Amino acid sequence: AFCHYSEAAHQADEESEKLHQGFLSGEIELMEFIPKYRRLRLLCHRMTLIHSAAKFLMVPSGRPEQ
């Protein structure tokens, strides 16, 4: 049901990794890299948290399945 949050987190993670590689290879300047990388990492973590919270709330007992 909440797979789109997981997919969005994965996509942001991949994009941030590509951006990181571009920075390390000298294709992207530091002042361009920082805000873009920060935005993508924040998005990744937010989507991961939302996905985790949704999974937690979907379990009837309120506890994650083992």
Side-chain angles (χ1 to χ4, degrees), residues 22-58:
F23 172 69
L24 292 177
S25 68
E27 297 171 16
I28 300 169
E29 294 292 323
L30 179 63
M31 297 309 288
E32 180 184 356
F33 169 75
I34 291 173
K36 288 181 178 181
Y37 186 78
R38 182 175 182 265
R39 179 184 58 80
L40 287 168
R41 295 311 305 160
L42 284 171
L43 178 63
C44 177
H45 291 298
R46 282 183 185 141
M47 294 298 106
T48 300
L49 284 170
I50 291 170
H51 179 73
S52 295
K55 282 177 41 179
F56 179 79
L57 293 173
M58 296 292 283

